[in-house]
Amino acid sequence: MKRYWVRVGAEEFEVGVDSDGGTLRVTVGGAPHRVELTEPVPSWYTLVVDGMCHDLAVRDLAGPWTLSLDGRAYTAEVARTRRSGADAGPHPSARSEEVRSPMPGLLIAVHVGEGSRVEMGQALAIMEAMKMQMEIRAPHAGRVTRVHVGPGQEIAAGQLLVTME
Amino acid sequence: MSRAARRPRKVLVANRGEIALRVIRACRALRITPVAVYSDADQGALHVHAADEAYRVGGAAPADSYLNIPAIIDAARRAGADTVHPGYGFLSENPAFAEACARAGLVFVGPPASALALCGDKAATRRRVAAAGVPVLGGTDPLDDQAAITAAADLGFPILIKAAAGGGGKGIHLVERSADLPGALRLARGEARTAFGDDRVYLERWLDRPRHIEVQIIADEHGAIVHLGERECSIQRRHQKVIEETPAPGLAATLRDAIRAAALTAARAVGYRNAGTVEVLASEGAFYFLEINARLQVEHPVTEVVTGIDLVALQLGVASGEPIPIRQEDVRLRGHAIECRISAEDTEQQFLPWVGRIGHVLLPGGPGIRIDGVLAPGAEITRHYDPLLAKLIAWGSTRDEAIARMAAALRETVVTGVPTTIPFHRWAVAHPAFRAGEYDTRFVDREWGTRRGPEGWMAALAAAVLAYRADGRTPLLPPQDVTAWTSAARREGIA
């Protein structure tokens, strides 16, 4: 029996996995489940839990795993040893001081410069992808300390655009 | 007036993606030679593969290629094409392109340039259609920001901003509060400028719980005009349709007949020719004319499936001067059809469009299932074009059967590499309100946020099982090198 400690959002689950070569015997918080994992096409799985089929895809394995389970996105952190007490608390979310691109696309305009004071919800920049434009808004009131990108630049999803304080 | 019908021999398809493939298929059925054009980003695209001849028309950006009128006319000349089909989007509703085709001696598959120009001016179309006795929705002519702020105060909130040259949901913004109006005007104008080269916008009254209904019409140059029933297109996100069906569910017979009759009146009022769509909003037993889409619509397959008519073939015939081969009383709508648009979008992040490379693809099948799409494994999705990958169309003898077939087809469909709207469609077709046919254009805004996914423990189980699988794997064998045989052998404990 292998043991995993999996954090999903603020919750942590202890999961045991054992195999006799066929169906997996899995316990989550002590509750037993019979599980099959098949891969009809690479990186796309059918997860059968107690006879019920679920779609499972792995979106990103860098850092915490991003999984898509029945079309819903989950972030899961898997540890193979139990976390110490200090480490076991809720995980701090991405720092709100960093404004990142929600999608890949072209940066059309930047409305702020270093030192700009902004209100919550104020437009910081405009991005465009597939002819759709979108305002990137300030997550909170504050001051812009750094602008990392410029108009005309191709931006990746998750790329750092603006740092605020 | 009318000239002798001359059937097209060689058709240049001035478009890309699934609609280019669709037009090529119609050409094949009519034994017409199809010619493709492509941008630098589309060298390996499926529409190029499907055509007999293909000509490069410029760089990846639409302005350099699919909107490049001289390059497309030149390609038609080099190919010796006699006809140009513009598909939808790009140059399909551009009067200057229709005129350029005429000057080059090419038949443009669509309405005459004069009707295109009129339909492209939404305010002028509305005035013309209202004068013919069709009810229209309250709104303004194109106006500047200052006038918009004054006019919005008169019309009341919420209010819609629409691009005067608009289409395809681009440049449309719903504004709930007056404080949001200046920012929304800026975005709408920016989108309109990029998409249509024209940043004029106008305001339109917002109805409560409206249903978006549209009527497919076809008109020939001999004065005949026929409708092919209506489509219900209220399932929208970002003011773009994502699910369409025909016939419209939950529409009283008298209202349905009135909308169909008004569509014919509106089309006649603007001197319409060829295939077009008359859009209306229906709310509380009344309806209001919105606009005429002077092109083939993305959602045309549902109409084809219930009428048994190849709309692209019909367009080509009418464009070459033939009369419409059917009379209104011969049009029979058989059963029910639904279309789901599968796009590269992240449904978990406000349906944001996505770029990337398609990994693997599994397509559905079975009775009543049709796919119009370009889902090629390994194909690159760029930010230059619409993220529409495929349209899944399900037919059934009843609406319930069509929904059940659609649900099954969505279950079977797999696309890896980029997120798609498939999870959204699976949720939507299972939703009680959709199943009951009781929904309006705010359905997605209202209901999508309330959906439930598997509980956290299930995600933890999934992650642990994936980790267990990774731990058991020989590190020398990267996952992509594992064949079905070796993974089966590993499961069986042989390898």
Side-chain angles (χ1 to χ4, degrees), chain B residues 332-395:
Chain B
R332 292 272 178 279
L333 306 181
R334 189 174 143 267
H336 196 98
I338 302 176
E339 173 184 279
C340 290
R341 300 189 189 188
I342 297 173
S343 295
E345 290 175 21
D346 190 352
T347 55
E348 292 287 275
Q349 274 199 71
Q350 293 101 50
F351 295 90
L352 288 176
W354 211 253
V355 297
R357 193 175 285 282
I358 296 177
H360 294 264
V361 175
L362 294 182
L363 294 177
I369 297 298
R370 164 174 165 179
I371 302 158
D372 283 17
V374 284
L375 273 166
E380 185 82 29
I381 299 159
T382 74
R383 64 167 184 83
H384 297 293
Y385 311 120
D386 194 274
L388 180 65
L389 301 175
K391 304 177 311 200
L392 190 52
I393 301 112
W395 179 87

Side-chain angles (χ1 to χ4, degrees), chain A residues 2 4 13 15 17 19 21 39 44 54-55 59 65 72-74 80 102 104 128 130 132-133 135 154, chain B residues 186 190-191 194 238 346 348 352-355 382-383 385 387 426 451 454 458 460 463 468-469 471 491:
Chain A
K2 285 206 168 205
Y4 300 91
F13 301 90
V15 186
V17 184
S19 168
E39 195 172 2
W44 179 277
H54 301 273
D55 286 340
R59 281 212 192 167
W65 292 1
R72 297 302 307 262
Y74 294 88
R80 287 166 178 81
E128 180 184 292
M130 281 92 170
M132 188 190 83
Q133 293 193 359
E135 280 182 333
E154 295 275 357
Chain B
R186 191 167 61 226
E191 283 177 23
T194 316
R238 283 204 305 272
D346 190 352
E348 292 287 275
L352 288 176
W354 211 253
V355 297
T382 74
R383 64 167 184 83
Y385 311 120
R426 286 174 62 165
R451 72 197 185 282
M458 183 78 84
Y468 180 79
R469 185 186 160 97
D471 290 349
R491 272 201 304 279

Side-chain angles (χ1 to χ4, degrees), chain B residues 177-418:
Chain B
R177 299 170 302 134
S178 61
D180 296 336
L181 189 57
L185 283 165
R186 191 167 61 226
L187 283 182
R189 287 192 199 279
E191 283 177 23
R193 200 179 305 116
T194 316
F196 316 113
D198 177 350
D199 69 356
R200 290 176 307 139
V201 298
Y202 65 96
L203 303 180
E204 192 172 84
R205 205 184 114 206
W206 173 257
L207 290 176
D208 189 37
R209 304 208 161 202
R211 302 185 76 131
H212 181 118
I213 311 278
E214 61 184 29
V215 180
Q216 178 69 54
I217 56 119
I218 178 100
D220 66 22
E221 62 183 58
H222 310 284
I225 180 164
V226 168
H227 77 74
L228 301 175
E230 77 287 341
R231 296 182 287 255
E232 156 64 83
C233 312
S234 298
I235 306 287
Q236 307 182 347
R237 58 94 190 79
R238 283 204 305 272
H239 308 290
Q240 280 180 341
K241 303 156 191 171
V242 281
I243 301 178
E244 304 93 351
E245 57 178 317
T246 186
L251 206 56
T254 49
L255 187 58
R256 186 190 308 271
D257 289 345
I259 291 172
R260 289 172 172 180
L264 296 179
T265 305
R268 278 197 197 95
V270 300
Y272 202 82
R273 298 251 188 80
N274 213 297
T277 296
V278 179
E279 293 190 336
V280 305
L281 281 183
S283 176
E284 295 168 351
F287 73 93
Y288 308 89
F289 169 86
L290 279 181
E291 61 183 271
I292 298 178
N293 293 136
R295 59 166 189 270
L296 186 69
Q297 297 275 93
V298 176
E299 59 273 25
H300 75 276
V302 292
T303 299
E304 295 186 318
V305 165
V306 297
T307 58
I309 290 169
D310 181 332
L311 268 167
V312 181
L314 192 57
Q315 280 192 298
L316 289 166
V318 166
S320 67
E322 290 178 9
I324 301 169
I326 39 158
R327 294 169 303 171
Q328 187 67 63
E329 54 269 32
D330 298 329
V331 176
R332 292 272 178 279
L333 306 181
R334 189 174 143 267
H336 196 98
I338 302 176
E339 173 184 279
C340 290
R341 300 189 189 188
I342 297 173
S343 295
E345 290 175 21
D346 190 352
T347 55
E348 292 287 275
Q349 274 199 71
Q350 293 101 50
F351 295 90
L352 288 176
W354 211 253
V355 297
R357 193 175 285 282
I358 296 177
H360 294 264
V361 175
L362 294 182
L363 294 177
I369 297 298
R370 164 174 165 179
I371 302 158
D372 283 17
V374 284
L375 273 166
E380 185 82 29
I381 299 159
T382 74
R383 64 167 184 83
H384 297 293
Y385 311 120
D386 194 274
L388 180 65
L389 301 175
K391 304 177 311 200
L392 190 52
I393 301 112
W395 179 87
S397 55
T398 62
R399 185 171 185 267
D400 284 347
E401 187 179 50
I403 291 174
R405 284 177 170 170
M406 178 61 85
L410 288 165
R411 255 206 103 83
E412 292 170 30
T413 310
V414 172
V415 179
T416 68
V418 292

Side-chain angles (χ1 to χ4, degrees), chain A residues 31-48:
Chain A
H33 301 280
R34 296 176 62 79
V35 176
E36 307 255 13
L37 184 70
T38 62
E39 195 172 2
V41 300
S43 305
W44 179 277
Y45 304 88
T46 300
L47 180 73
V48 187

